[in-house]
Amino acid sequence: MKKNNYLLILLASLAGLSLMAQTRIIPHVTRPGGGFETQFILENRGTATALNLLNIFNSSGQALGTFDMFILPGTHVLVNASEYGPDVSHLTIDGDAEIFVTAVYRASKNENSPAHIPESRTQSTLWRIFASNWNLTFDGLAIVNTGTAKTNVQLVQKNEMGLVIAQTKIIDQLAPMAKGLYVLAAPFTASDGSSFEIVADQPIAVTALRGSYPSDPVGYLWENNALPAVSKAQPADGFSLPHVGTYNHAGYVLQLTQEGQNASTARFDLNNPSGNGNALYMASNAAGPVLQSASFGNAPAALLQGKNTTSDQPILSVVNEGHGNSAFLANTNASADQSTLEISNEGKGSGIEMENTNKDGTLATWVNRSTDSNLPQFVIQNQGKSNTTRILTTNTQNQVPALDVYHQGLGSAASFHTFESANDQPTVITVSRGSGSALKAESLNGSTAIEGYGNRSLGGYFEQTNAESNSAALVARNQGNGFAAVFHGDVYVNGNLSKNAGTFVIDHPLDPENKYLYHSFVESDQMMNLYSGTVQLDAEGQAVVKLPDWFEALNTDISYQLTAVGKPGPGLYVARELADGSFAIAGGQPQAKVSWQLTGVRQDAYARQNPLIVEKEKQGEEKGKLLNPQAFGKTENEAIRFSDRSR
């Protein structure tokens, strides 16, 4: 029985070969810029958050990378294929089995219905399709070699009786994981009831899609990698605008106006991955900006994307040798919720790199004058291995900071987050090779100037590595009534601790809800240790007090003090000094209680290497200044700053 206008049906045949390891695959991604687009629907059909892995390949079978994404249960994510780069041809799917992937092909012009092709586990050496009505449409094939060796792909057309009408080799020596494209044409004919068999000696995955002809205004759903139709020959290095030349009058060299709603006004593509040229190059010797971008809608004023994952070049490079700003970006729409500048980097280079060699100029300025904005002033996201942002000032005479963040709102002036749990690197590193501070934090409104949290790593780390410098690695200064620094938890000091005075403070034992209790530390001109205890004398008024085995190794110059408790002890004395871990008491009343106290001077390795210097001359700028000028009736200008003070 003859059939007319057959729907395009893709049938997997099991004849002649057991299937490979059932690789999950999307065999075809449409070529960018050809009038169509591919999107993926990633759906989690499970009951828990699942991991999806997409392994991206180009048409030659070269692996371009793996992209991962966690998806919540019962939800889906829509991803544009262009996010994986311009050369993506097809992909395989790994990760959790609960993730199901569908490719959506849609013509990018006019209204049209998308084609949905789900992921497939079927790879076979024999496939069969039924053709459409070639007077209205054409049929095309995208074929991926999922085998381990090169293969030739044959296309055979048979009539309803199974007799061969035509056959030919459509792809020659297709490499493993490479993709070939083919549009059904001569020697094949649109014969009613006929079918087509795709035959190879290696397992292949096949996507068959119907497309409209170039003259049809609906547009393509699939097309071969053909050259665009042009009326005359184009230069070998690409296409050019009909006329852009010098312009000697006031106005624009080139002006493009877009009256549509969703399309770009101008787009510049550099599609050669190995090319070193610029997609857009602008230079100006005039006093005006090289580039001025303004957005009056809800779209970004400028969107810069680097899709080449092997490039180590910046997405944006701005060089200024004049007196003006290197870059000036303004968004004057008060109701817009889009970024003025957004930079997304998927390559190896820096997301943004700025360098200033001008003595007095500012490297970059971001100004947000919106009083009700809840969005950050500057957002940088980096998924690569290099620096997200690198700011360099090479002029050694420059007195201004390389980065100055000033904020008048209610939020943070700057916020830095590291979300990768396996990352053991600091979120922020500050390094100073000059005489100034590597990091200075100042609070003027009563809040905390700097706050550090550590989960499994350090909450804060400050290091001074210049052996010639007397500056402090960290200075915390509070001129109010609060504390300059607060630590919640144990604090360890590897070195000497110097202070004007010291106390402990606790909730008052008799009135803990309303009062504090303060005690001063015990100070000495020696590195002194204090030990105490009680002992019961025997029937002869004697006792031996045992001490820990480390006592004699730690202490020297032992001093003794004995006090009788409950009974007089006028004859109480130390009968034997410390030896072999103990000392002896005698001369007391039988069975009396004695309180003893020992003091010793440290003799451990650190104490011997770092003896306490009791008196020391002030040096350099410290001369004539005071640690606490107020105590001597002096002003704050006569104070010794901790950043200038030596140990």
Side-chain angles (χ1 to χ4, degrees), residues 376-611:
Q377 176 62 22
F378 188 37
V379 177
I380 300 175
Q381 295 179 335
N382 181 20
Q383 298 180 358
K385 296 182 179 179
S386 62
N387 298 326
T388 302
T389 301
R390 183 170 182 259
I391 301 175
L392 176 65
T393 299
T394 58
N395 191 322
T396 58
Q397 303 301 317
N398 196 345
Q399 301 296 317
V400 299
L403 174 63
D404 191 356
V405 182
Y406 185 76
H407 182 51
Q408 292 181 324
L410 299 177
S412 302
S415 180
F416 303 89
H417 301 270
T418 297
F419 294 102
E420 176 54 58
S421 59
N423 186 5
D424 59 357
Q425 299 300 311
T427 303
V428 179
I429 299 176
T430 61
V431 179
S432 174
R433 294 186 174 90
S435 58
S437 303
L439 173 64
K440 181 180 179 181
E442 183 177 2
S443 175
L444 303 177
N445 63 354
S447 62
T448 304
I450 187 169
E451 201 168 334
Y453 297 92
N455 185 3
R456 298 182 179 178
S457 59
L458 299 174
Y461 183 81
F462 305 90
E463 182 177 6
Q464 167 62 271
T465 59
N466 189 339
E468 304 293 329
S469 175
N470 291 326
S471 298
L474 171 65
V475 175
R477 181 177 179 83
N478 185 2
Q479 295 179 330
N481 295 323
F483 296 100
V486 175
F487 301 91
H488 294 279
D490 297 337
V491 178
Y492 169 71
V493 178
N494 186 0
N496 293 331
L497 177 64
S498 300
K499 54 187 174 59
N500 295 135
T503 63
F504 78 69
V505 56
I506 62 173
D507 295 318
H508 198 293
L510 300 181
D511 192 0
E513 295 182 353
N514 300 305
K515 293 182 180 180
Y516 295 111
L517 181 65
Y518 286 82
H519 271 36
S520 176
F521 295 163
V522 176
E523 312 289 351
S524 173
D525 62 351
Q526 302 181 77
M527 293 187 185
M528 188 169 291
N529 297 318
L530 178 65
Y531 308 89
S532 63
T534 59
V535 67
Q536 185 83 34
L537 302 180
D538 59 15
E540 297 179 357
Q542 300 177 358
V544 175
V545 178
K546 293 186 177 297
L547 297 170
D549 54 4
W550 44 260
F551 190 92
E552 292 177 87
L554 177 62
N555 295 281
T556 186
D557 297 338
I558 307 300
S559 297
Y560 305 83
Q561 183 173 333
L562 304 176
T563 302
V565 180
K567 297 179 182 181
L572 194 64
Y573 67 99
V574 176
R576 176 175 56 79
E577 293 190 63
L578 179 65
D580 298 327
S582 67
F583 70 96
I585 302 173
Q589 296 290 334
Q591 308 300 326
K593 184 178 181 181
V594 174
S595 174
W596 58 267
Q597 179 176 292
L598 301 185
T599 57
V601 178
R602 285 176 55 181
Q603 63 172 355
D604 57 279
Y606 182 85
R608 292 195 305 270
Q609 188 179 19
N610 300 273

